[in-house]
Every structure is written in C-alpha cells, then in structure tokens.
Amino acid sequence: MKESIVELIGNELTELYPNIQINRENRKGGFEEPSFFVQKVDTGVKPELFNIQNRKYTYQVVYFPKVDRPNEDMESVEEILLDNFTSLKSYATIRNRDFKQSDDNTLQMTFEVWIRAHEVDNTPKQENMKFKGGIANGN
C-alpha cells in the first residue's frame, strides 16, 4: 500500500471539507478553528490459519469547530460525517463510529478500520511444465 491509513482518512475528510485544515501532529500555539486532528488510538491483531491476520486499527478524529456558534457547527459536521464518512475508498469499510461532544468544545469521532492481511508470496509459481504424454500400453 502506497498511502497510510491516516492519509486515506485525510483524503476522505478533504473530499468532504476541502477548505478545512487536517492535522496529524500537535501544533505549537494550538489548532486553528475550524480544523481536524487525526490520530491512531490502538491496533489489534487476531491471527488465523495460513499466516492470515485480522487487524483492527482504531482512530480518532477531533474536530475543532468554528468559534462563533460551535455547537451548531459540531452538530452539522457530525451529521455530514454520519452520512458520508463510511469507507476509505478502495481500501476498507469504516466500522463502529462513535461521536462525542466534549466539554472543551470539540467533536470527537472514534472508529475502527478492519483489514485481512497476509504475507505476499513472491516465489515463482510453475514457470514451465514438462509433459511427457502418450497413449496407454504403447498403442
């Protein structure tokens, strides 16, 4: 995969909100309003047969609303995310979304991205086949 999951999340948010800044690292002096902050919270792995793994990545997106009318802004953003932030295109479905408006006037969304991962086997597979055929009993 060329892009990280955080980049895919950022792409989805940018598609919904092209004019809002998306941050992955804390910023000196705080975040601008409005803006998003994306961080990974947790990773879980459940092994299966044949070196296959079910991986669960948990992420949090924090939205810092507009200064004027922050509650109205957070409710609007929540509804748009509920309707449209459902998958990472061509990668995975977003599961178990949970929204919370915190006391410090931020909207927090946590969610999971589940994937099945396996080792890539680059060994050559049957490059050529030698066949010696004939009719049974020499006839």
Side-chain angles (χ1 to χ4, degrees):
M1 180 171 83
K2 293 180 181 179
E3 296 177 293
S4 72
I5 296 175
V6 171
E7 289 172 321
L8 294 172
I9 293 167
N11 292 343
E12 293 297 321
L13 292 172
T14 299
E15 199 171 295
L16 294 171
Y17 294 98
N19 298 324
I20 295 182
Q21 185 176 33
I22 300 167
N23 303 289
R24 184 172 181 185
E25 303 291 339
N26 285 324
R27 299 184 67 114
K28 291 181 181 180
F31 295 102
E32 295 177 15
E33 288 95 3
S35 67
F36 289 101
F37 175 65
V38 180
Q39 67 180 347
K40 183 165 40 166
V41 176
D42 191 25
T43 302
V45 178
K46 181 180 173 189
E48 292 188 356
L49 298 173
F50 309 111
N51 292 328
I52 295 173
Q53 298 176 347
N54 275 326
R55 294 182 186 173
K56 176 188 78 166
Y57 299 97
T58 305
Y59 288 89
Q60 181 180 49
V61 172
V62 179
Y63 175 66
F64 298 91
K66 298 174 185 172
V67 178
D68 57 324
R69 304 174 81 166
N71 291 326
E72 181 181 319
D73 187 31
M74 286 188 290
E75 288 174 13
S76 172
V77 168
E78 181 178 349
E79 289 300 320
I80 289 170
L81 292 174
L82 281 167
D83 291 341
N84 299 292
F85 191 76
T86 57
S87 69
L88 304 176
K89 287 182 182 58
S90 302
Y91 188 71
T93 301
I94 294 172
R95 298 180 181 200
N96 301 324
R97 295 175 298 159
D98 187 36
F99 293 83
K100 178 184 175 189
Q101 288 187 15
S102 69
D103 295 336
D104 60 353
N105 271 348
T106 61
L107 175 65
Q108 300 169 1
M109 174 180 67
T110 56
F111 58 92
E112 297 170 353
V113 177
W114 284 79
I115 64 166
R116 286 177 51 95
H118 61 86
E119 275 185 49
V120 177
D121 184 2
N122 291 324
T123 57
K125 308 287 188 272
Q126 194 171 341
E127 289 181 7
N128 57 31
M129 184 171 92
K130 294 182 181 177
F131 177 73
K132 185 177 182 182
I135 301 174
N137 298 326
N139 296 329

